Amino acid sequence: MKVYKIPPRVTTLIFDIDSTLYTNSAYAFEQIDCQVRAFAKERGISEDEARKMVNDYRKKYSLEHEGKKVSLGNTLLAFGISIEKSVKWRETLMEPSDYLTRDEKLIKKLTDLSSKYKMICVTNNPVFTARKTLEAIGISDFFKDIVGLDTCLKSKPAYEPFQTACKLTDSNPKECVAVGDRFDMDLSVPLELGMGGVLVNGVEDVYELNEILGGE
């Protein structure tokens, strides 16, 4: 875990979902690879060729942008796959319940956090897929709203998803804390907007969030 900033007054927590509110390496891999396989089929190339194209593009992007990472959605967009098509693939190809189970410890921790803060999720998956993920973990009821890839048709680290989260929760960005597992996607823009930011290595760090925020 790395704490970048905690505002003096915190009213709202903005959570990433995947590899933040759960830790499951197999599902993390499959979320990416199922789309790469779909891309291979779309292009009429082998799956290995598609994987190489995606990996090479992301490496090149990082080299040309001071080490910053690019989302899979924006990578596929560079290859002519629209955000709308990415949304459809993510909705039809991913089944969170095949990999994830109810997390009683997280439920207890979010119960504590929800008594003090407004909470919302911002994810690069569509709302439909994200909701199924939260349901599989057992935490859907904590999140009235989800800002997904299909909400703004913008992939993090765009500004719009985080600005939309503030509007939906009626929150001042300077009183928000973004929590996620990838700095470039989940924290860079929130920090630019004046929010706090906590980088986690997975759900194990989220279990400690109340203490990080100054709770008991």
Side-chain angles (χ1 to χ4, degrees), residues 68-119:
K68 293 181 180 179
K69 297 179 181 179
V70 60
S71 69
L72 181 61
N74 284 335
T75 298
L76 293 175
L77 187 62
F79 291 136
I81 303 300
S82 68
I83 293 295
E84 289 86 351
K85 182 163 283 189
S86 285
V87 167
K88 183 177 179 181
W89 285 352
R90 291 166 187 252
E91 287 179 339
T92 58
L93 298 175
M94 297 178 186
E95 188 47 67
S97 61
D98 288 346
Y99 294 86
L100 306 176
T101 57
R102 187 176 175 87
D103 186 339
E104 297 294 348
K105 185 171 183 178
L106 181 60
I107 291 168
K108 183 178 184 303
K109 297 296 183 178
L110 292 184
T111 299
D112 293 340
L113 290 170
S114 66
S115 68
K116 305 172 186 175
Y117 309 106
K118 293 178 281 188
M119 304 196 305

Side-chain angles (χ1 to χ4, degrees), residues 12-200:
T12 306
L13 304 180
I14 300 176
F15 287 96
D16 173 52
I17 296 177
D18 298 293
S19 297
T20 295
L21 293 175
Y22 68 84
T23 303
N24 188 301
S25 58
Y27 186 45
F29 172 82
E30 176 61 14
Q31 284 193 65
I32 295 172
D33 203 60
C34 70
Q35 296 175 76
V36 176
R37 297 194 302 269
F39 172 60
K41 185 175 181 181
E42 180 93 0
R43 279 291 181 90
I45 60 178
S46 72
E47 293 175 359
D48 283 342
E49 286 177 302
R51 292 183 185 107
K52 186 175 188 305
M53 286 178 66
V54 168
N55 289 336
D56 286 351
Y57 178 86
R58 297 178 98 170
K59 288 177 183 177
K60 184 173 184 290
Y61 181 95
S62 185
L63 287 172
E64 294 176 349
H65 294 82
E66 301 178 334
K68 293 181 180 179
K69 297 179 181 179
V70 60
S71 69
L72 181 61
N74 284 335
T75 298
L76 293 175
L77 187 62
F79 291 136
I81 303 300
S82 68
I83 293 295
E84 289 86 351
K85 182 163 283 189
S86 285
V87 167
K88 183 177 179 181
W89 285 352
R90 291 166 187 252
E91 287 179 339
T92 58
L93 298 175
M94 297 178 186
E95 188 47 67
S97 61
D98 288 346
Y99 294 86
L100 306 176
T101 57
R102 187 176 175 87
D103 186 339
E104 297 294 348
K105 185 171 183 178
L106 181 60
I107 291 168
K108 183 178 184 303
K109 297 296 183 178
L110 292 184
T111 299
D112 293 340
L113 290 170
S114 66
S115 68
K116 305 172 186 175
Y117 309 106
K118 293 178 281 188
M119 304 196 305
I120 190 170
C121 289
V122 175
T123 175
N124 275 347
N125 272 328
V127 171
F128 175 75
T129 305
R131 183 62 70 185
K132 289 201 297 182
T133 299
L134 298 182
E135 288 171 353
I137 305 168
I139 60 172
S140 182
D141 289 347
F142 292 109
F143 299 98
K144 175 187 174 184
D145 293 307
I146 299 171
V147 179
L149 186 60
D150 49 341
T151 304
C152 305
L153 293 178
K154 295 280 188 177
S155 181
K156 292 187 292 183
Y159 289 89
E160 290 90 341
F162 296 102
Q163 291 169 332
T164 300
C166 289
K167 290 178 182 177
L168 288 172
T169 56
D170 191 24
S171 299
N172 183 335
K174 294 182 180 180
E175 296 179 354
C176 297
V177 174
V179 182
D181 67 300
R182 299 172 300 173
F183 178 84
D184 292 333
M185 306 302 154
D186 304 322
L187 302 187
S188 60
V189 164
L191 290 170
E192 285 184 38
L193 293 172
M195 300 182 191
V198 178
L199 184 69
V200 299

